[in-house]
Amino acid sequence: MISLEMDMVQYDCPYIDTTRDYEVSFLAKQWDFHPVERELETRIMVNGADREELDRGLNALEAHDHMESYQLLRRKGDLALIRSRIDETNAMSVIRDHSGYITGPFRIRNGSEIWHVGFDTERVAEGTLSELERDNDYTIRSRESVDLEDYYDLLQNIDSAKRLVDGCRELSDVERDTLEKAVEGGYFDTPRDATLSSLAEEFDVSKMAISKNLRRSQRKILDRVTTAMNDVTE
């Protein structure tokens, strides 16, 4: 399996067009392709710079020429979840015609889209990339050849990876910032480059506050890591 992470610029994608004109971004991991209509149906998250910019972006997306259907499912503040159908883009058609397949979520912002695409062989991947160049611009951000055992291991442990990500999301902004500064500053090195005193001075709080934030962040992360380690061992 050849696994590619691509920064894709399509010129016939309503999501990309919307991010060029408005401060909104899109994130989706669920989609269905309707072969008869040649349309892509997606439940996709939309994030705006603020509530007003989200309004403008959603209105522009709904009115786009390549948007076949649009439904606002939920909204809260500057976040929205929509269900939409768009015409099949050139890039998606090329990848499908060459038996490529999507292996990760779509992320769209600032006029481009991050794709995770898989191909069964190197030859098929090269042929697809060559044809994509005709009507699209793209950059390969990473390229990896995954053997059968590694691919099986990835699928087997995907839930453990998700738990680690969930653990990171549980951190508060203060806990995340404190832990990042501690790691970057060498607090966990031997000998230590950063200390509780230097971190407290950087954040303008007491040493006790820094210590508590570090302990909380480590506990949340390590709880997830321990669970993931047990899952992988089993």
Side-chain angles (χ1 to χ4, degrees):
M1 173 187 174
I2 308 301
S3 179
L4 303 177
E5 182 178 331
M6 307 173 64
D7 191 343
M8 176 75 71
V9 178
Q10 303 181 81
Y11 299 100
D12 55 355
C13 175
Y15 306 119
I16 288 180
D17 283 349
T18 304
T19 66
R20 290 193 186 104
D21 298 328
Y22 303 93
E23 292 185 73
V24 295
S25 60
F26 298 91
L27 174 62
K29 65 177 182 178
Q30 182 280 332
W31 59 276
D32 291 307
F33 183 73
H34 299 270
V36 175
E37 300 89 347
R38 306 292 292 184
E39 293 175 357
L40 186 72
E41 180 177 324
T42 312
R43 285 171 179 79
I44 187 165
M45 293 292 302
V46 192
N47 180 213
D50 51 43
R51 295 175 62 95
E52 292 73 22
E53 195 67 4
L54 178 62
D55 283 336
R56 289 189 284 268
L58 292 177
N59 290 334
L61 183 69
E62 185 176 12
H64 197 283
D65 290 342
H66 289 178
M67 183 63 63
E68 295 298 327
S69 68
Y70 168 96
Q71 179 184 7
L72 177 62
L73 299 176
R74 289 195 297 276
R75 173 172 177 167
K76 183 176 181 180
D78 57 7
L79 282 175
L81 175 64
I82 66 172
R83 179 179 179 179
S84 59
R85 273 199 191 197
I86 66 171
D87 296 327
E88 183 182 34
T89 64
N90 171 267
M92 180 59 71
S93 175
V94 170
I95 288 174
R96 283 177 41 78
D97 289 346
H98 287 75
S99 300
Y101 40 92
I102 301 301
T103 60
F106 296 98
R107 295 182 176 88
I108 311 167
R109 64 179 180 179
N110 299 328
S112 69
E113 181 173 11
I114 302 301
W115 282 21
H116 299 86
V117 187
F119 299 96
D120 292 329
T121 67
E122 187 77 35
R123 181 182 61 82
V124 172
E126 285 302 319
T128 307
L129 294 177
S130 178
E131 187 170 337
L132 279 173
E133 288 179 345
R134 298 176 188 173
D135 298 294
N136 307 274
D137 291 325
Y138 65 83
T139 301
I140 303 298
R141 296 180 52 165
S142 67
R143 184 184 189 121
E144 186 177 3
S145 180
V146 183
D147 65 28
L148 193 61
E149 290 182 351
D150 288 341
Y151 188 47
Y152 177 78
D153 193 47
L154 173 65
L155 295 178
Q156 189 178 37
N157 294 302
I158 194 167
D159 288 340
S160 298
K162 182 179 182 301
R163 291 190 188 97
L164 292 177
V165 173
D166 289 341
C168 294
R169 290 188 178 129
E170 287 180 356
L171 297 178
S172 68
D173 290 341
V174 171
E175 291 166 350
R176 182 180 297 107
D177 291 343
T178 303
L179 185 58
E180 286 179 352
K181 289 295 184 182
V183 173
E184 292 169 359
Y187 177 80
F188 298 102
D189 294 347
T190 303
R192 285 179 173 173
D193 290 329
T195 64
L196 288 178
S197 296
S198 65
L199 291 170
E201 184 176 345
E202 184 167 357
F203 284 95
D204 194 24
V205 296
S206 68
K207 290 198 302 183
M208 181 177 294
I210 285 292
S211 179
K212 286 182 178 179
N213 287 330
L214 277 176
R215 287 201 304 272
R216 290 193 191 104
S217 60
Q218 291 177 79
R219 183 175 63 250
K220 290 178 181 179
I221 295 297
L222 290 176
D223 282 347
R224 296 286 185 166
V225 169
T226 302
T227 302
M229 286 172 55
N230 290 334
D231 290 344
V232 170
T233 301
E234 294 174 358

